[in-house]
Amino acid sequence: MLKQSRIFTHDRYQRIFLAAACIALASQVNFQTYAPGFIVTLSVFILPVILYFNRDFNPIGLTVAVAIASPIFRGALLFISHDVNPHNNIIYILADMAFYLCYGFLYYFLYWRRGQRSNTTFFLTIVLCDYLANLLEVSLLTDFNDYTYRLFQILFITALIRSLVSCLLAFLYHYFQLMLRQENHEQRYYHFIWVASAVNSEVYFMRKNISEIENVMKNAYLLNQDLQNADVSEAERDKAVQIARDVDEVKED
């Protein structure tokens, strides 16, 4: 039991590590908007899909791993390429970390802890998480200044588009999985019907053969009695009894 628990825990950590690595790599596909250091990345399209298909472990653990892997990976590349100075690089890393941490905690309290979950609730939660996490990241990059109505529009439209694309991918993939499972279930069901019909046919012929064997045994014993009444040698009568015994053994087999 302890060994199975360790294997299960190792598998969970491995999945978290792979998810964090994929998101860190996907974050390199990005473009800058509104404020320096604020980027729209491909990773935020992938994160909701990973959360949707990995509901068995706490999302805070996943987003913490992503908050460590993705910003540090981005910061290392910026440091190597000398695109920004070290001070701004640290600010970008911290703002990026704040985005993923805020995303994870909001998702945890708004959706993951709920007893009843639905696709509609998931979509609305993802939109809200994306919007508020983006707002926090921009606020950190602009020192909580320069708020405009256009900023809120951009953040909401960005969150809505990313959430729509992510949820559409997750829901369609889940739907196709259900279709494949249903098709496999129907194939197994038809196979079971075929096996059951084959077994029933064999049972029918077995019962038919048993009935015929019993008739042979009955006739063999009647023949023995008739031979006893007739003037027939004992050896001939024993042949009829032996036939009945042999048929009885076949019946038992």
Side-chain angles (χ1 to χ4, degrees):
M1 185 67 181
L2 180 60
K3 185 177 181 180
Q4 291 180 351
S5 177
R6 289 179 178 176
I7 293 174
F8 181 74
T9 303
H10 175 74
D11 177 70
R12 180 173 295 180
Y13 287 146
Q14 187 178 23
R15 286 159 58 194
I16 292 176
F17 174 77
L18 290 175
C22 291
I23 292 175
L25 292 174
S27 65
Q28 302 312 304
V29 182
N30 60 73
F31 60 92
Q32 184 169 314
T33 60
Y34 192 77
F38 179 67
I39 56 176
V40 177
T41 70
L42 180 63
S43 61
V44 188
F45 289 95
I46 300 176
L47 181 58
V49 179
I50 294 176
L51 290 172
Y52 184 80
F53 289 105
N54 294 275
R55 304 183 187 183
D56 55 327
F57 55 77
N58 195 313
I60 294 180
L62 173 63
T63 51
V64 167
V66 174
I68 295 174
S70 181
I72 291 179
F73 184 68
R74 176 192 174 194
L77 294 180
L78 290 176
F79 177 78
I80 294 173
S81 61
H82 301 286
D83 287 343
V84 297
N85 59 64
H87 178 263
N88 289 338
N89 195 5
I90 294 175
I91 293 176
Y92 295 164
I93 292 175
L94 294 177
D96 208 3
M97 286 182 173
F99 170 84
Y100 288 111
L101 292 176
C102 178
Y103 196 108
F105 278 94
L106 287 173
Y107 180 83
Y108 173 80
F109 287 106
L110 295 177
Y111 180 79
W112 195 79
R113 290 186 60 185
R114 293 173 60 93
Q116 296 180 349
R117 304 172 185 174
S118 64
N119 290 340
T120 302
T121 307
F122 178 81
F123 170 72
L124 295 176
T125 303
I126 292 301
V127 173
L128 189 60
C129 291
D130 197 326
Y131 176 70
L132 294 179
N134 271 333
L135 183 60
L136 176 62
E137 183 180 3
V138 172
S139 299
L140 292 174
L141 293 173
T142 59
D143 294 328
F144 295 90
N145 293 318
D146 300 331
Y147 291 115
T148 62
Y149 182 70
R150 181 172 175 270
L151 169 64
F152 296 113
Q153 282 184 321
I154 293 175
L155 294 182
F156 181 75
I157 292 174
T158 301
L160 184 62
I161 293 175
R162 291 197 297 199
S163 300
L164 280 172
V165 174
S166 300
C167 291
L168 184 63
L169 292 175
F171 298 160
L172 285 177
Y173 183 75
H174 182 64
Y175 175 73
F176 286 131
Q177 276 188 326
L178 293 178
M179 288 185 61
L180 290 175
R181 290 177 184 175
Q182 184 177 4
E183 183 179 357
N184 292 333
H185 177 74
E186 290 180 353
Q187 291 178 353
R188 288 196 298 268
Y189 179 73
Y190 292 142
H191 178 72
F192 290 153
I193 291 178
W194 178 82
V195 171
S197 62
V199 170
N200 287 332
S201 299
E202 294 295 333
V203 170
Y204 168 77
F205 285 111
M206 288 173 63
R207 290 175 177 173
K208 183 175 180 294
N209 291 334
I210 288 174
S211 178
E212 293 177 351
I213 289 173
E214 289 176 347
N215 290 331
V216 174
M217 291 173 57
K218 180 180 178 181
N219 292 330
Y221 281 115
L222 292 175
L223 177 61
N224 178 264
Q225 293 178 0
D226 293 338
L227 292 175
Q228 288 179 358
N229 297 327
D231 187 13
V232 180
S233 64
E234 185 177 355
E236 297 296 332
R237 295 196 301 269
D238 290 340
K239 287 182 181 179
V241 176
Q242 186 62 38
I243 292 173
R245 290 174 181 173
D246 293 340
V247 173
D248 183 62
E249 291 182 1
V250 173
K251 175 186 174 183
E252 291 179 356
D253 293 338

